[in-house]
Amino acid sequence: VKEGTIMAQTKIDICNQALLKVGADTIASLDTNQNTNESSIRSAKLCNILFDQALEETVRSYPWNSCKKRAIPVKLTNNPTFGYDNAFQLPNDCVRVVEIYDSSDGVRAMRQPYAVEGRTIVTDVDKIYLKYLAIPEDVGVLDSMAALVLIMRLAIKLATPLQLELTMSQALVKELEQVVMPAARSIDTFENSEYDTPESELLLSMFNQSPII
């Protein structure tokens, strides 16, 4: 490894850090056959069961820069029964819609109403441009703060089957909600010049249109 290179965390790294948070035995592999004692085998089994759920919850919990993708969704031939004119297919890897635009410049969010229903987006416009969150195929693409949130969520899920005291689980939840998530959100936001906040009709009137009388 070259000096100054940032080492991406692997799935095993994340599992082991979560296991250490709850005082459980670490694992050499998620393959139970490659773990040598009963405690590490149990740790591997629990991580196999809980990891994917913790990862999806982490990705959905905040619009992480490292999980964002863009797409032009396919317009479906079957229109909604009522309420909207068109339906678009969500990408297969989409777990949360971040923003929808009606032009390719991606500057201003679409102001037309829309709704996410099942695996589709329904709206009245004829073409949409989508920014969304996807679960990464390789968790190594997660930045360090998103990975830390994943570690905390996995540790919280491990606490129950490992029969830890309730106070331990509560302490983990408190650390996640009051320390880790606020810090992660702050850092992730300041690395992004796109602020996904709703437009203010007042500000639009003041700066882009006629003054309010």
Side-chain angles (χ1 to χ4, degrees), residues 95-181:
V95 295
R96 177 180 168 184
V97 170
V98 175
E99 197 61 86
I100 298 176
Y101 307 92
D102 53 13
S103 65
S104 60
D105 59 18
V107 174
R108 180 177 294 177
M110 185 173 74
R111 303 182 74 186
Q112 292 290 332
Y114 70 88
V116 178
E117 297 181 352
R119 299 298 301 170
T120 65
I121 298 170
V122 292
T123 184
D124 289 331
V125 301
D126 292 324
K127 187 175 185 179
I128 61 174
Y129 300 82
L130 175 68
K131 185 192 294 181
Y132 68 98
L133 299 180
I135 295 176
E137 294 182 7
D138 177 7
V139 295
V141 305
L142 294 174
D143 68 71
S144 59
M145 297 306 294
L148 180 55
V149 172
L150 174 55
I151 290 165
M152 294 299 303
R153 287 189 178 275
L154 182 55
I156 291 167
K157 291 184 179 299
L158 288 166
T160 299
L162 290 173
Q163 298 181 330
L164 300 181
E165 292 185 5
L166 182 60
T167 52
M168 167 68 82
S169 180
Q170 291 172 335
L172 291 170
V173 171
K174 184 176 181 180
E175 183 180 354
L176 172 63
E177 294 180 348
Q178 298 185 13
V179 180
V180 177
M181 274 300 292

Side-chain angles (χ1 to χ4, degrees), residues 46-57:
L46 291 174
C47 286
N48 274 310
I49 293 169
L50 299 171
F51 185 89
D52 288 347
Q53 184 182 6
L55 175 58
E56 182 170 346
E57 289 177 2

Side-chain angles (χ1 to χ4, degrees), residues 5-211:
T5 301
I6 298 174
M7 293 293 293
Q9 298 198 68
T10 66
K11 190 173 181 178
I12 297 296
D13 293 333
I14 290 170
C15 287
N16 279 332
Q17 289 182 68
L19 290 164
L20 288 171
K21 290 287 288 184
V22 295
D25 281 13
T26 56
I27 57 177
S29 168
L30 285 166
D31 182 352
T32 54
N33 294 324
Q34 294 187 32
N35 291 284
T36 56
N37 60 65
E38 202 170 304
S39 296
S40 61
I41 290 172
R42 187 185 185 201
S43 292
K45 286 180 178 179
L46 291 174
C47 286
N48 274 310
I49 293 169
L50 299 171
F51 185 89
D52 288 347
Q53 184 182 6
L55 175 58
E56 182 170 346
E57 289 177 2
T58 298
V59 174
R60 279 186 57 83
S61 68
Y62 182 77
W64 308 104
N65 293 326
S66 55
C67 298
K68 286 180 183 176
K69 296 179 74 172
R70 297 170 189 253
I72 303 175
V74 175
K75 184 179 177 182
L76 301 176
T77 55
N78 295 328
N79 295 330
T81 306
F82 64 91
Y84 293 97
D85 293 337
N86 301 308
F88 298 85
Q89 184 69 54
L90 283 172
N92 291 333
D93 59 351
C94 175
V95 295
R96 177 180 168 184
V97 170
V98 175
E99 197 61 86
I100 298 176
Y101 307 92
D102 53 13
S103 65
S104 60
D105 59 18
V107 174
R108 180 177 294 177
M110 185 173 74
R111 303 182 74 186
Q112 292 290 332
Y114 70 88
V116 178
E117 297 181 352
R119 299 298 301 170
T120 65
I121 298 170
V122 292
T123 184
D124 289 331
V125 301
D126 292 324
K127 187 175 185 179
I128 61 174
Y129 300 82
L130 175 68
K131 185 192 294 181
Y132 68 98
L133 299 180
I135 295 176
E137 294 182 7
D138 177 7
V139 295
V141 305
L142 294 174
D143 68 71
S144 59
M145 297 306 294
L148 180 55
V149 172
L150 174 55
I151 290 165
M152 294 299 303
R153 287 189 178 275
L154 182 55
I156 291 167
K157 291 184 179 299
L158 288 166
T160 299
L162 290 173
Q163 298 181 330
L164 300 181
E165 292 185 5
L166 182 60
T167 52
M168 167 68 82
S169 180
Q170 291 172 335
L172 291 170
V173 171
K174 184 176 181 180
E175 183 180 354
L176 172 63
E177 294 180 348
Q178 298 185 13
V179 180
V180 177
M181 274 300 292
R185 283 195 295 259
S186 177
I187 293 170
D188 202 70
T189 298
F190 281 109
E191 289 184 337
N192 189 349
S193 64
E194 297 177 347
Y195 293 96
D196 296 319
T197 55
E199 290 178 341
S200 165
E201 294 294 336
L202 174 61
L203 291 178
L204 284 174
S205 297
M206 290 172 62
F207 297 108
N208 297 332
Q209 300 176 18
S210 60

